[in-house]
Amino acid sequence: MADDLKGRAPGHGVDCSAEYVESYRRTHLHPEDLEYRLSYYRIVLLDGLLRDYSYLDAGCGTAGYFRLMRNARRLTGVDYSERMIATAQDFSVRNGYAGKTRFVCSDFSAFESDETYDAIRLGVYGSYLPVSVPVLKKAHAMLRPGGFLLIGITLPQGFRGRLRDRLGLASTRISGRRFEQLVREAGGLSILTATRVRHRMHYLLRSGGGENGT
Ligand SMILES: C[S@@+](CC[C@H](N)C(=O)[O-])C[C@H]1O[C@@H](n2cnc3c(N)ncnc32)[C@H](O)[C@@H]1O
């Protein structure tokens, strides 16, 4: 991997175990999990909606979804795990879409881009890192007007989790109500759809227009 593509972020140097990477590689070969199947469905719909588009995946992992994005012009994957990035690159070569991909080994909080994207998926937030107003503003700034944002949140569980959520404390687990509040505060984005799967809520947002848009 070229040195200029390596992040110098707090997370740099962190790596996922070989077993963890392998579990995702296998999941993409045989996507049996319900949540993964629904993710595939969302990606296929997005791909059908757009033409010649640019896409950014924050926390791309093995980026196995990329093979479904046939109409994309440019696919960018950011992940701080060198192992994940190596597997993602291998996957892209084997499946014949390496020519339109770019992988960046960086902590997403340190990732900056001159480019804007037609669609972004923030896989890292709501599971690894808390969703916040600055994060949503950053995603909005990287989106073209009318661009789409995919993000999933993990819902709070138990009394303490719900209390933390009510108090607005930073957590990777937040309620839909709190997420909607963060979107309103960030501005510029409107929620198009919300789908609950077990303890996760998956959102599709759009930049500009709508109630929250500018
Ligand atoms: C649940 S896995 C994603 C798997 C991916 N969707 C796939 O299908 O292979 C989450 C990924 O986020 C990455 N990650 C976690 N925190 C990150 C951060 N702060 N910056 C960049 N990547 C991060 C991990 O290395 C991991 O590959």
Side-chain angles (χ1 to χ4, degrees):
M1 180 183 313
D3 277 336
D4 60 329
L5 293 186
K6 285 191 173 185
R8 289 179 298 279
H12 181 59
V14 177
D15 214 338
C16 298
S17 71
E19 294 74 31
Y20 186 69
V21 176
E22 179 56 18
S23 73
Y24 278 103
R25 201 185 66 81
R26 274 215 222 105
T27 297
H28 285 292
L29 296 177
H30 311 284
E32 278 156 18
D33 177 78
L34 173 65
E35 204 165 333
Y36 253 84
R37 285 189 184 190
L38 286 171
S39 304
Y40 273 56
Y41 189 57
R42 271 190 291 275
I43 293 288
V44 167
L45 287 181
L46 190 76
D47 190 62
L49 203 67
L50 301 170
R51 286 286 171 278
D52 203 31
Y53 61 96
S54 58
Y55 176 82
L56 169 70
D57 192 324
C60 64
T62 59
Y65 301 103
F66 282 9
R67 71 180 193 283
L68 303 172
M69 309 183 89
R70 304 221 168 105
N71 293 323
R73 178 183 73 254
R74 184 106 164 110
L75 296 162
T76 302
V78 180
D79 201 292
Y80 65 21
S81 160
E82 296 203 2
R83 249 189 209 119
M84 282 289 193
I85 292 283
T87 306
Q89 278 168 333
D90 180 58
F91 227 100
S92 68
V93 171
R94 283 171 194 264
N95 289 283
Y97 55 83
K100 59 181 182 183
T101 58
R102 179 175 82 123
F103 290 107
V104 182
C105 191
S106 170
D107 191 302
F108 187 70
S109 46
F111 174 76
E112 284 172 18
S113 178
D114 294 338
E115 225 180 297
T116 52
Y117 301 88
D118 297 299
I120 298 178
R121 193 176 81 99
L122 291 183
V124 168
Y125 293 93
S127 49
Y128 282 73
L129 296 171
V131 184
S132 63
V133 170
V135 164
L136 293 169
K137 283 190 170 175
K138 177 173 173 169
H140 177 244
M142 286 184 178
L143 273 176
R144 295 230 172 94
F148 294 95
L149 175 65
L150 294 161
I151 182 167
I153 59 166
T154 309
L155 300 169
Q157 281 165 348
F159 174 74
R160 286 179 71 174
R162 283 195 287 273
L163 183 65
R164 286 183 66 83
D165 180 63
R166 279 271 161 196
L167 296 174
L169 300 176
S171 167
T172 52
R173 291 174 176 250
I174 57 168
S175 62
R177 184 191 55 81
R178 173 98 184 107
F179 179 74
E180 285 165 26
Q181 186 186 335
L182 294 175
V183 171
R184 273 196 301 277
E185 282 173 29
L189 292 164
S190 42
I191 297 174
L192 298 183
T193 66
T195 316
R196 184 170 177 169
V197 186
R198 303 184 193 119
H199 59 292
R200 297 266 299 158
M201 189 77 102
H202 297 272
Y203 289 95
L204 174 65
L205 296 95
R206 193 157 201 197
S207 169
E211 282 175 34
N212 310 306
T214 51

